Amino acid sequence: MSEPLLEIRDLKTHFATDNGIVRAVDGVDITIRRGETVGVVGESGCGKTVTAMSVLKLIAMPPGRIVDGQILWQGRDLIPLEADELDDIRAKDIAMVFQEPMTSLNPVYTIGEQIAEGLRRHEKLSRRAALERTVEMLRLVQIANAEKRVHDYPHQFSGGMRQRVMIAMALSCSPKLLIADEPTTALDVTIQAQILELLADMKARFGMAVMLITHAMGVVAETAQRVVVMYAGRVIEEAPVDELFANPRHPYTQGLIRSIPHIDRAATTKKRLEAIPGVVPRLIDPAPGCRFAPRCRFAMPACRLATPALRDVGGGHKVACILETGGLPQ
Amino acid sequence: MSTPLLSVRNLTKQFDIGSGFLLRNDAVVHAVDGVSFSIPPGETLGLVGESGSGKSTTGRCILRLVEPTAGEIWFQGRNVSALDARAFRALCRDMQIIFQDPFASLNPRMTVGTIIGEALTIHKLAPSKEAFTDRVVELLETVGLQADHMHRYPHEFSGGQRQRIGIARALAVEPKLIICDEPVSALDVSIQAQVINLLEDLQGKLGLTYLFIAHDLSVVEHISHRVAVMYLGRIVELASARDLYVTPLHPYTEALLSAVPVTDPKARRKRIVLQGEVPSPIHPPSGCHFHTRCPIRQLPLCAREAPPLKETASGHFVACHLRS
Amino acid sequence: MVGSIPASATAELSAAPRSKAKQFSPWLDAWRRFRRHRLALVSTVVLSAIVLSVLFMPFVWSVPINEIDFTARLKGPSPAHPFGTDDLGQDLLSRMLYGGRISLAVAFAAMVVAIVVGTIIGAIAGMSRGWVGPALMWLTDLFLSLPPLPLLLLVIYLFRDSLKSVFGPEGGVFILIVLVVGGLRWMPAARLVRAQFLSLREKEFVEAARALGASRLRQVIRHILPNALGPVIVAATVDVAAAIIAESTLSFLGLGFPPDIPSWGRILFDAKDYLDIAPHWAMFPGVAIFLTVLSISFIGDGLRDALDPRKVM
């Protein structure tokens, strides 16, 4: 096993709102090793995006605040860093691709200018060299006619094309880690297939690690090597991808996998979907104990006493459920 | 097959864009281009396609939320596209719609009770205040909400609950047909299943007929009896959900099926990645609209002539020069 | 900022406390947010104090507005005349109170005219799909391009006397000023309402109402208008402030109310020749106009934040 590139330890990011403190991320541990693709799945409000944003301190502060924890980048804690030190790590070491390719590009600059800007600042390239490199990057992400299109403005690109541009921009400084936050959610299925293909291709070429944040189980299943499942601000299960889908241990993961319609099974045996009852719990003053307990069909009194810790149950499969780890936690 | 409840013939919708008071611009968006299908009572017809395929416009044309440019819509043996606005409003009681966005589809300034009961007020279906309240409570309970929710405002509810409110609103007039326009796409996975199950239960209990519009092939496959695949305003394939999955005929359907990411490694198909993007519906390609991206061998005919939707096996229709 | 924490925002929504007996309608919610706007809250208190004293103080302070006392000309504030007196020895406090009634009445009436006209024109333009909308917007632009002050003067010269003869000097001038000020300020409201209508009429909840068979009038009154009202209310506060200033300007130019009917602007106009000997005379109406306009503007700011649709949705 290679050395950890990014280690998120007991991260807590909270938001002050009118109604109280929202514990969006409340004790998250995620490790990403060199060259590895880790999928982070969960429903909206589970804290997956906030976790990613916290890594680069891209959350609005206030109302947001990193209350506790460490974010170790190759052993160095990013949380106490000043803005300019962080700037250097952003883009150069860690790059990010967002969900909305429409809004992540500045409409008044050509895409060439936007990609070149990062190259000139971080790689100290000349204007000429930066432009050449930009064209090369656009070619890499399979934008036809790259030397012409480099002078086009974002609105002249379609959604899928813009996402390609975003990927080109993110990869232009050869980062060691790419954080992709729902990179295909806004796209059509066939375009999603193209972008996933492109990401796999880029990974093979550059060898960077990828943190893929998504709500789509199918997307993680096809792209990630390891999967982290989040629920209500905490990691509840983590396992190698095949292990997770073949043998999910946490009741929430099981429910999630069973609640999605499987196209393969739907056609042959029409079965009723197993929905998880109830709604995502409130993150303001959450009740003690396992946060999934109110919706869990196996919940017992002990579940409501203390938050279960994430424990290894063998083979790198970690789960935070006292049914699986046995006994009372902590 | 029994007489269809709804039958759409050659439905066409073109939007003029950019034509102003003085500025004349003759750009036309060919949103729906000669679509025909029918739905027998009690069935769910799925309508899938990517953005720009015209699936939502088709649904809106049926309810005349958008006036169709051409074509006929027959509902319960009547040509509803010929009715005037007043006669059509009366008919609205038999056709309803559920929307995609659970946040935009409910008026934020009305209580849930008023929203659900609005149809009762419009069509004067509640003789008294008590009857109104009773009916609203009944509807709330039908969709799995509670009676005391009627005095609350939409913003107090989660996405899934709002979608239930939208369903209750549609059910108020006891419709026969409900057009479900992406009703679960905006919801979380675990909530999606709740709403899909609710829609299935209601169909069983009330004998509803659905036109289920969605971009998510797995959801459509799950809920539909038959599925129609749309590409750039035209139906390219129409078959039973099973046939479509097991023996897709149109190359676009194949590509679409192969692009759906699945969790089971054994169920994975060889992925056909289509080149390029869906062309603009302002200038759709000549002939078969798909010929510019088609991965299989092409005939000169493909670029020249639009293939008609032909029945190849019983109930399996495909519009392809090569596969029919 | 809102966009960067979507996850937590939705989570909070889905977890909105159900057990609370307290009810939150959108308007109540807006009031909650308004209360947090400190300056707007203070302004509300100030404006209420001004309105209440103008309405009820004359019952307590019953010195007639036209009691001439040449022995007490141009006196500064004293127990007998808390706001001092003018060149005829008339009590300024009672003239200020009376004038406040007129100034505020003119302002509110003009605002109502502007908002009603603006809303109707904006609504028609926003609902029409044919040539009516663009035509109405042309009309709006036409009115916006007219220079207001010369037009105001022209209209007043043309119609003052005929209106005076029908409604009496006071009523005639009142109606004239209200119509002129209101009639020249409806355009921003019309544009605002039209823009709101254009976006709201395509909203899914309006489509849903249409699918249920709601008539156009019902769609407008039940669904579109209530959701378009927030910005209009904010615009209304701006209009009140503008109308107070317009009335003062007219009176200051000697074109408003006659000298025997005091309004704040009129008092200021009369005081301008005595600024050096009796500065209090100009100060009181000046401060009254200043405080009223300022507090209305702050209230408008507070309402803008409180009624922001992004926060309501």
Side-chain angles (χ1 to χ4, degrees):
Chain A
M1 218 181 276
S2 61
E3 52 170 310
L5 194 61
L6 177 76
E7 266 183 284
I8 301 172
R9 284 192 196 157
D10 197 30
L11 179 73
K12 290 183 180 164
T13 307
H14 296 176
F15 291 90
T17 69
D18 298 343
N19 304 317
I21 291 174
V22 175
R23 294 164 193 274
V25 173
D26 208 20
V28 161
D29 297 275
I30 295 172
T31 303
I32 296 171
R33 296 190 182 80
R34 212 170 273 283
E36 171 185 51
T37 301
V38 175
V40 179
V41 275
E43 300 177 276
S44 56
C46 73
K48 54 189 192 302
T49 296
V50 178
T51 304
M53 299 285 236
S54 301
V55 170
L56 290 175
K57 289 215 262 185
L58 287 174
I59 44 176
M61 306 195 221
R65 200 161 81 86
I66 297 176
V67 183
D68 200 4
Q70 287 178 306
I71 294 167
L72 300 175
W73 173 249
Q74 297 180 303
R76 180 180 179 211
D77 194 356
L78 296 183
I79 292 178
L81 287 193
E82 293 299 319
D84 52 333
E85 285 177 284
L86 210 60
D87 251 9
D88 228 35
I89 291 181
R90 278 180 205 158
K92 217 173 158 181
D93 283 341
I94 309 178
M96 202 157 173
V97 174
F98 298 93
Q99 171 176 356
E100 256 325 314
M102 311 291 165
T103 50
S104 349
L105 286 166
N106 189 335
V108 301
Y109 294 106
T110 65
I111 58 143
E113 284 165 346
Q114 296 186 54
I115 299 176
E117 191 202 347
L119 283 168
R120 294 181 62 192
R121 209 161 89 211
H122 298 289
E123 305 268 284
K124 309 273 181 276
L125 293 184
S126 69
R127 181 181 290 272
R128 181 87 171 274
L131 185 72
E132 270 168 26
R133 181 78 170 273
T134 303
V135 172
E136 191 189 318
M137 286 310 299
L138 289 180
R139 251 190 230 123
L140 267 184
V141 296
Q142 292 150 34
I143 287 181
N145 225 343
E147 51 296 324
K148 274 221 185 98
R149 301 229 62 184
V150 71
H151 302 297
D152 282 353
Y153 288 88
H155 72 266
Q156 290 165 291
F157 290 80
S158 66
M161 282 297 163
R162 275 183 212 156
Q163 202 56 289
R164 284 174 191 270
V165 171
M166 286 305 296
I167 291 171
M169 196 192 285
L171 298 181
S172 60
C173 298
S174 329
K176 298 191 181 74
L177 172 67
L178 175 71
I179 301 178
D181 186 5
E182 305 266 12
T184 59
T185 306
L187 306 175
D188 279 318
V189 221
T190 57
I191 309 298
Q192 164 170 293
Q194 293 175 355
I195 297 293
L196 291 179
E197 192 104 324
L198 177 72
L199 273 177
D201 185 31
M202 291 295 111
K203 195 174 134 55
R205 197 182 286 263
F206 291 93
M208 76 278 184
V210 179
M211 180 175 176
L212 178 73
I213 296 158
T214 178
H215 69 278
M217 303 296 268
V219 172
V220 232
E222 295 199 355
T223 40
Q225 280 131 40
R226 217 149 41 82
V227 185
V228 172
V229 185
M230 287 186 68
Y231 184 77
R234 295 186 60 91
V235 173
I236 52 107
E237 187 161 6
E238 185 193 324
V241 64
D242 293 335
E243 163 75 6
L244 187 94
F245 287 104
N247 186 20
R249 304 284 285 263
H250 197 284
Y252 175 66
T253 318
Q254 294 169 355
L256 214 50
I257 293 173
R258 281 186 205 141
S259 67
I260 47 175
H262 290 265
I263 191 159
D264 41 317
R265 279 170 236 162
T268 40
T269 49
K270 290 248 174 189
K271 245 175 73 185
R272 201 179 151 78
L273 298 175
E274 286 179 43
I276 306 175
V279 293
V280 180
R282 46 193 303 219
L283 297 170
I284 300 170
D285 305 325
C290 173
R291 300 221 172 139
F292 186 61
R295 299 173 75 186
C296 181
R297 25 180 202 158
F298 307 112
M300 7 182 232
C303 292
R304 297 176 199 269
L305 291 177
T307 315
L310 193 65
R311 296 248 172 95
D312 201 321
V313 290
H317 195 151
K318 296 179 189 168
V319 59
C321 175
I322 57 172
L323 276 171
E324 294 294 324
T325 55
L328 287 175
Q330 281 141 23
Chain B
M1 216 190 268
S2 51
T3 27
L5 180 73
L6 173 79
S7 135
V8 171
R9 291 178 201 164
N10 253 323
L11 184 72
T12 300
K13 174 66 195 176
Q14 298 172 349
F15 292 101
D16 293 329
I17 49 166
S19 62
F21 193 42
L22 279 181
L23 292 160
R24 285 233 69 90
N25 179 344
D26 290 329
V28 168
V29 178
H30 302 265
V32 182
D33 190 5
V35 160
S36 306
F37 59 83
S38 56
I39 318 177
E43 194 196 82
T44 302
L45 176 72
L47 206 54
V48 268
E50 297 180 276
S51 43
S53 65
K55 54 189 194 303
S56 273
T57 310
T58 305
R60 279 170 163 72
C61 279
I62 294 169
L63 278 174
R64 286 177 58 183
L65 291 174
V66 163
E67 280 299 327
T69 311
E72 290 175 4
I73 296 154
W74 290 75
F75 183 71
Q76 293 182 306
R78 284 168 77 194
N79 183 355
V80 299
S81 36
L83 295 178
D84 65 46
R86 188 170 294 273
F88 187 78
R89 272 217 294 275
L91 198 95
C92 280
R93 290 183 49 186
D94 288 330
M95 280 197 261
Q96 274 307 309
I97 181 164
I98 305 170
F99 294 94
Q100 165 176 15
D101 188 342
F103 290 87
S105 60
L106 304 176
N107 186 340
R109 302 211 181 270
M110 283 164 78
T111 61
V112 167
T114 336
I115 291 171
I116 295 176
E118 184 166 29
L120 307 179
T121 320
I122 291 172
H123 297 288
K124 306 194 173 58
L125 296 178
S128 67
K129 222 174 156 188
E130 290 73 42
F132 179 89
T133 313
D134 287 349
R135 178 77 177 124
V136 169
V137 169
E138 186 192 333
L139 286 164
L140 277 169
E141 281 165 358
T142 310
V143 298
L145 294 169
Q146 288 146 33
D148 64 317
H149 285 155
M150 69 181 286
H151 302 296
R152 299 231 172 96
Y153 285 86
H155 71 272
E156 296 174 68
F157 293 87
S158 66
Q161 288 171 317
R162 281 160 165 256
Q163 211 53 307
R164 287 173 193 267
I165 297 167
I167 296 172
R169 170 176 59 193
L171 290 178
V173 285
E174 298 176 19
K176 298 192 172 68
L177 171 75
I178 297 185
I179 291 167
C180 307
D181 188 6
E182 305 253 15
V184 298
S185 340
L187 304 177
D188 271 321
V189 243
S190 75
I191 309 298
Q192 262 189 12
Q194 295 177 4
V195 173
I196 291 173
N197 285 346
L198 174 67
L199 287 173
E200 286 181 336
D201 291 347
L202 290 172
Q203 181 163 49
K205 210 159 74 184
L206 306 171
L208 297 170
T209 306
Y210 292 140
L211 176 65
F212 195 96
I213 301 165
H215 68 273
D216 186 337
L217 214 54
S218 15
V219 170
V220 171
E221 287 271 19
H222 176 85
I223 200 169
S224 310
H225 299 101
R226 287 186 307 142
V227 177
V229 181
M230 282 186 79
Y231 185 79
L232 269 181
R234 293 181 186 157
I235 292 181
V236 295
E237 187 161 5
L238 197 162
S240 72
R242 192 196 150 83
D243 284 353
L244 194 82
Y245 177 75
V246 180
T247 50
L249 289 176
H250 199 282
Y252 178 64
T253 315
E254 278 180 335
L256 211 54
L257 277 168
S258 79
V260 179
V262 292
T263 53
D264 184 357
K266 277 168 288 188
R268 252 163 240 171
R269 288 163 189 257
K270 169 144 180 37
R271 182 168 291 164
I272 305 162
V273 175
L274 291 179
Q275 293 308 305
E277 315 217 340
V278 182
S280 152
I282 300 174
H283 304 289
S286 61
C288 170
H289 284 172
F290 188 58
H291 84 264
T292 51
R293 299 171 78 199
C294 188
I296 60 171
R297 188 172 51 90
Q298 290 180 24
L299 306 171
L301 188 64
C302 293
R304 221 171 44 230
E305 232 175 82
L309 194 64
K310 268 196 211 149
E311 188 162 12
T312 52
S314 160
H316 198 142
F317 297 82
V318 66
C320 178
H321 291 305
L322 292 152
R323 294 282 175 85
S324 63
Chain C
M1 291 225 305
V2 179
S4 66
I5 50 163
S8 55
T10 41
E12 189 198 317
L13 230 174
S14 62
R18 299 274 170 275
S19 52
K20 255 193 206 165
K22 218 184 348 176
Q23 241 201 71
F24 287 116
S25 76
W27 294 115
L28 255 166
D29 250 14
W31 167 236
R32 261 191 335 144
R33 279 193 298 271
F34 183 77
R35 268 190 333 209
R36 236 174 274 131
H37 203 291
R38 214 80 26 91
L39 218 47
L41 210 59
V42 171
S43 299
T44 314
V45 173
V46 170
L47 187 69
S48 314
I50 292 173
V51 171
L52 288 179
S53 46
V54 157
L55 285 180
F56 298 110
M57 274 286 278
F59 298 114
V60 184
W61 188 258
S62 47
V63 177
I65 57 159
N66 50 5
E67 191 182 70
I68 295 168
D69 176 5
F70 285 111
T71 60
R73 289 181 62 209
L74 299 170
K75 286 275 154 57
S78 67
H81 303 289
F83 279 15
T85 56
D86 63 10
D87 58 340
L88 298 175
Q90 300 176 112
D91 180 54
L92 268 179
L93 176 59
S94 36
R95 286 182 78 80
M96 279 293 297
L97 293 173
Y98 188 85
R101 284 183 173 186
I102 292 187
S103 289
L104 291 178
V106 166
F108 280 102
M111 175 271 283
V112 170
V113 170
I115 293 298
V116 169
V117 173
T119 305
I120 291 173
I121 290 185
I124 294 172
M127 284 307 280
S128 96
R129 286 179 193 266
W131 55 270
V132 178
L136 283 175
M137 282 303 109
W138 271 27
L139 187 74
T140 310
D141 289 341
L142 186 80
F143 266 83
L144 275 173
S145 63
L146 294 173
L149 201 59
L151 195 74
L152 222 65
L153 301 183
L154 182 75
V155 173
I156 285 172
Y157 273 121
L158 288 177
F159 298 109
R160 182 155 63 165
D161 294 327
S162 50
L163 272 171
K164 257 187 190 165
S165 59
V166 181
F167 297 101
E170 200 172 325
V173 174
F174 182 85
I175 290 173
L176 189 65
I177 293 184
V178 164
L179 287 184
V180 166
V181 173
L184 285 178
R185 288 212 48 94
W186 58 267
M187 297 81 77
R191 288 188 147 184
L192 210 64
V193 169
R194 173 175 169 268
Q196 288 280 315
F197 267 55
L198 285 182
S199 87
L200 283 167
R201 74 174 192 199
E202 307 297 338
K203 277 268 157 66
E204 288 186 341
F205 65 81
V206 180
E207 278 198 321
R210 235 183 305 155
L212 287 173
S215 62
R216 270 165 86 86
L217 191 68
R218 189 184 173 86
Q219 288 167 37
V220 170
I221 289 176
R222 296 283 298 172
H223 296 279
I224 302 181
L225 201 54
N227 286 290
L229 235 43
V232 176
I233 290 174
V234 176
T237 63
V238 179
D239 279 351
V240 174
I244 288 182
I245 293 184
E247 184 272 325
S248 308
T249 313
L250 285 179
S251 300
F252 189 80
L253 293 172
L255 297 165
F257 289 93
D260 52 328
I261 305 161
S263 76
W264 287 347
R266 181 74 217 189
I267 299 173
L268 201 59
F269 171 66
D270 292 338
K272 72 174 192 307
D273 300 330
Y274 299 89
L275 278 177
D276 44 350
I277 5 177
H280 68 272
W281 189 1
M283 191 189 77
F284 285 111
V287 167
I289 292 170
F290 172 74
L291 271 185
T292 311
V293 171
L294 195 69
S295 50
I296 289 174
S297 300
F298 281 140
I299 292 171
D301 273 357
L303 285 175
R304 193 193 320 270
D305 290 351
L307 297 174
D308 189 334
R310 273 172 305 174
K311 293 178 182 169
V312 176
M313 302 293 268

